[in-house]
Amino acid sequence: MTRNPNRLHLNAFLMSVGHHEASWRLPESDPYAGWSVKHYQELARIAERGRLDSLFLADSPVQQGDPGRRPTGKLEPTVLLTALAGVTERIGLIATASTSYNEPYNLARRFASLDHVSDGRAGWNIVTTAGADAARNFGLDDVPPHQERYERADEFLEVATKLWDSWADDAVVADKHGGVHSDAAKVRAINHRGRFFRVDGPLNVPRSPQGWPLLVQAGSSEDGKDFAAKWAEAVFTAQQTLDEARAFYRDLKQRTAAAGRDPDGIKILPGIVPVIGATEAEARELDAELERLISPEYARRQLAERFNLDPADLKLDEPLPDNLPTEDEIEGAKSRFTLIVDLARRENLTVRQLIGRLGGGRGHRTFAGTPVQVADTIEEWFDSGAADGFNIMPAVLPSGLAAFVDHVVPILQERGRFRTEYEGTTLRDHYGLPRPANSLELIPR
């Protein structure tokens, strides 16, 4: 497997009416769209029209953010993607699910089912879930330690992959004449016994079209990168500068090789929030309008929570205080904490300015410009060894996604950097990744 210099991967990260926290306040926006299946079906059709690799839905088993600040209600992503599978034919469907607050059997079954329903287009974004508020929804007083969450995630993946492999590819024979539906010797228990899980199996779903769903990971901490090097086939990451993105890309590819895997078998996709206008002035005006609509007091409370500070410690028109905790003292999203602090220190931002920078992408790189400028930025990062593609996070939906598909994608296609038609039928086909061989030894009883 080698990196195709012309195979740029583009994924549509869908969130309510847009990634900018104030997008719902624009006159064009429907503030109820976040739980409208029709809204997401429209977005899926737009993304497939652009021949994008996949759709991605984030999720968390907790109320995220302040509901007074922006729409926070979310439909369960595997349920929603099942509805989107019925109105699309080729685009991949990636859902987020936590290894901390699920059990391997139920989750393996859910993703195998989605892969069958979609004819091989399912992907799983694997997260460990930070935050004590999520833990308290599951009878825990606090979030498990960072390292323990990744140790559980590692065993979780071990169990899930065994379950997906508990049916041989040729187990179903459907022999009407002989009265044999499946070869029972090729449907086997896994009898897993580990530190976190005891699972007998087999799964009650035959092996799915892709064998396993595409495995995606989004953590950039040291534990997260080691986990990605072992398991992930695509990585969603947040990087603010080209140099940081190059360093992350090089580091993760090296870790993947050290784990005994082909580095080209993991696709690194930074997030980018493009605000697109016919002219640069038009794009900047939309960006400024969105920033004007931010409610700074809501945003300050959320920022203080991330830093484990009292909101009163964050003065809107002053820089971040010196008494911030270190990354080692943060049990939550460690890499995002560091990214935000580095951004504020590097550019000497006040708290108000930092809130404006985070309003569009929560730490992902935001960019306002023309379609050509957006395409140039994407191509520069791709050619510089900073990315295999991008997780596109439109500030406003559906208009921002339509602008990207209708005006940026054609430029990339004309330059020979992106497909003009789908070349395969599964999500693995789109990413140029092989179907996993069945790793379980199926020995007849």
Side-chain angles (χ1 to χ4, degrees):
M1 189 186 306
T2 57
R3 185 178 189 268
N4 186 330
N6 293 319
R7 188 181 289 277
L8 178 68
H9 298 288
L10 297 175
N11 176 78
F13 183 172
L14 307 182
M15 178 177 283
S16 186
V17 291
H19 282 269
H20 197 285
E21 67 182 62
S23 59
W24 69 277
R25 299 184 65 189
L26 293 174
E28 70 180 77
S29 295
D30 175 2
Y32 302 96
W35 43 94
S36 167
V37 172
K38 291 182 179 178
H39 169 70
Y40 281 100
Q41 287 175 332
E42 178 188 2
L43 296 177
R45 292 188 185 101
I46 293 170
E48 189 166 65
R49 185 175 79 222
R51 306 299 189 261
L52 303 192
D53 293 68
S54 53
L55 308 172
F56 166 53
L57 298 177
D59 193 52
S60 179
V62 66
Q63 170 73 43
Q64 282 189 309
D66 190 328
R69 177 185 176 193
R70 66 177 297 167
T72 56
K74 292 179 182 177
L75 300 176
E76 199 285 323
T78 57
V79 173
L80 179 54
L81 288 178
T82 300
L84 302 188
V87 298
T88 56
E89 295 181 353
R90 296 291 187 89
I91 196 163
L93 307 166
I94 301 174
T96 300
S98 172
T99 58
S100 298
Y101 304 115
N102 280 292
E103 291 295 318
Y105 194 95
N106 287 345
L107 206 57
R109 184 188 185 201
R110 198 182 310 161
F111 277 101
S113 298
L114 179 59
D115 206 44
H116 278 289
V117 167
S118 64
D119 294 324
R121 295 185 282 142
W124 172 19
N125 178 45
I126 305 155
V127 297
T128 64
T129 307
D133 48 356
R136 290 191 290 269
N137 285 339
F138 295 87
L140 302 175
D141 294 329
D142 203 352
V143 62
H146 191 270
Q147 183 176 350
E148 181 179 316
R149 294 203 312 274
Y150 274 99
E151 289 169 351
R152 176 187 166 98
D154 185 68
E155 187 178 336
F156 198 113
L157 266 291
E158 181 185 347
V159 177
T161 52
K162 286 179 181 177
L163 288 168
W164 290 323
D165 286 351
S166 62
W167 288 63
D169 284 315
D170 58 352
V172 179
V173 295
D175 180 359
K176 293 182 179 181
H177 179 74
V180 178
H181 184 269
S182 299
D183 184 342
K186 295 184 178 182
V187 183
R188 298 298 304 271
I190 66 169
N191 295 320
H192 177 88
R193 300 292 182 270
R195 173 185 171 192
F196 297 98
F197 306 110
R198 292 168 53 91
V199 181
D200 285 355
L203 197 64
N204 60 352
V205 181
R207 200 160 194 258
S208 70
Q210 293 189 111
W212 306 348
L214 185 82
L215 301 180
V216 184
Q217 192 266 353
S220 297
S221 66
E222 293 303 304
D223 289 333
K225 288 186 284 189
D226 285 341
F227 180 85
K230 181 176 180 180
W231 290 107
E233 296 165 298
V235 172
F236 297 155
T237 181
Q239 307 294 333
Q240 280 286 327
T241 70
L242 182 58
D243 286 343
E244 290 171 349
R246 281 191 189 120
F248 178 87
Y249 186 97
R250 183 171 56 251
D251 180 27
L252 193 49
K253 295 286 186 172
Q254 290 171 348
R255 291 180 194 233
T256 303
R261 298 176 54 205
D262 181 353
D264 288 324
I266 185 169
K267 308 302 180 184
I268 299 175
L269 309 174
I272 184 172
V273 185
V275 179
I276 302 169
T279 65
E280 187 173 347
E282 181 181 305
R284 293 190 180 281
E285 175 53 35
L286 174 56
D287 194 38
E289 181 181 5
L290 288 166
E291 187 166 339
R292 285 193 296 269
L293 293 173
I294 292 175
S295 299
E297 288 305 320
Y298 285 125
R300 182 169 71 163
R301 285 201 296 271
Q302 187 172 9
L303 193 62
E305 182 179 346
R306 183 181 290 277
F307 291 152
N308 293 336
L309 296 176
D310 187 302
D313 293 334
L314 297 179
K315 309 300 184 185
L316 283 173
D317 295 309
E318 296 180 11
L320 289 179
D322 294 330
N323 63 331
L324 295 179
T326 66
E327 182 178 293
D328 289 341
E329 296 172 307
I330 296 291
E331 278 296 344
K334 290 178 179 286
S335 59
R336 193 59 56 88
F337 166 85
T338 299
L339 182 150
I340 291 170
V341 174
D342 287 348
L343 169 64
R345 303 290 195 218
R346 182 175 60 247
E347 300 189 19
N348 196 29
L349 301 176
T350 65
V351 170
R352 189 187 304 275
Q353 291 169 328
L354 179 61
I355 285 169
R357 292 289 295 274
L358 298 177
R362 305 171 306 285
H364 290 276
R365 187 168 187 266
T366 59
F367 183 85
T370 66
V372 169
Q373 289 173 323
V374 173
D376 287 346
T377 297
I378 288 174
E379 202 167 14
E380 178 189 13
W381 279 46
F382 181 69
D383 288 340
S384 298
D388 294 305
F390 282 87
N391 211 15
I392 307 302
M393 305 166 58
V396 182
L397 290 168
S399 61
L401 180 60
F404 185 85
V405 163
D406 294 337
H407 301 293
V408 179
V409 168
I411 295 171
L412 295 171
Q413 290 172 330
E414 289 168 6
R415 295 176 181 178
R417 310 316 295 266
F418 192 64
R419 68 173 68 86
T420 56
E421 294 294 339
Y422 287 112
E423 299 162 4
T425 60
T426 72
L427 179 51
R428 290 181 175 279
D429 289 338
H430 304 341
Y431 280 102
L433 296 171
R435 185 177 187 270
N438 193 312
S439 61
L440 200 64
E441 292 183 3
L442 299 173
I443 303 172
R445 289 186 177 92

